[in-house]
């Protein structure tokens, strides 16, 4: 019985530990860090990979309704999915359902216990997001904006 409880405790601890990340406090302007110019660090075969991505969600910005640009307040930005990751890689977010509130700072983490020889190469990562915002002065919710972040690569 003690062995079962110990195993269960370790399993739960591992699950919760894997989802933890701390946003980098040096980033205060809205954006995703590392940015497109910096990119992701390379991974090495046989060595664990762990990269924290800091997300600073804007609170106020502008959006388009047809040809018209309007002021908007961001309610949420959700990371819907990530594709292109090598087989041994996964991602997790510090927030429930990878949903980030407008004006918040949070993070996501890319991990691999040990990239393999079969994964050697450059892998383009695609992150699909959906943003919900309201017109700042009218208070009406705008159509959900879908975006693709495609400037990240992991080189193994």
């Amino acid at each position: 019985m003690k062995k079962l409880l110990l195993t269960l405790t370790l399993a739960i601890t591992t699950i919760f530990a894997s989802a933890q990340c701390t946003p980098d406090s040096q980033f205060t302007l809205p954006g995703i860090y590392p940015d497109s110019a910096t990119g992701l660090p390379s991974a090495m075969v046989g060595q664990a990979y762990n990269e924290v991505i800091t997300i600073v969600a804007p609170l106020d910005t502008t959006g388009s309704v047809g040809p018209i640009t309007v002021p908007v307040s961001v309610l949420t930005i959700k990371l819907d999915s990530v594709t292109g990751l090598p087989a041994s890689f996964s991602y997790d977010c510090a927030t429930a359902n990878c949903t980030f509130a407008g004006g918040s700072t949070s993070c996501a983490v890319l991990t691999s216990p040990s990239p393999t020889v079969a994964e050697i190469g450059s892998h383009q990562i695609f992150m699909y997001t959906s943003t919900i915002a309201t017109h700042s002065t009218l208070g009406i919710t705008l159509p959900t904006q879908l975006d693709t972040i495609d400037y990240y690569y992991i080189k193994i």
Side-chain angles (χ1 to χ4, degrees), residues 59-122:
L59 179 58
D60 297 307
T61 188
T62 58
S64 296
V65 178
I68 302 169
T69 300
V70 296
V72 299
S73 295
V74 175
L75 299 177
T76 61
I77 299 173
K78 182 178 181 193
L79 177 59
D80 295 312
S81 65
V82 176
T83 62
L85 289 171
S88 70
F89 282 71
S90 63
Y91 74 96
D92 204 355
C93 301
T95 59
N97 300 319
C98 290
T99 301
F100 309 98
S104 70
T105 299
S106 191
C107 56
V109 63
L110 291 176
T111 59
S112 172
S114 180
T116 65
V117 171
E119 295 173 319
I120 290 175
S122 183

Side-chain angles (χ1 to χ4, degrees), residues 60 65 70-75 132-143:
D60 297 307
V65 178
V70 296
V72 299
S73 295
V74 175
L75 299 177
I132 299 174
T134 60
H135 187 284
S136 295
T137 53
L138 299 178
I140 57 172
T141 301
L142 301 175

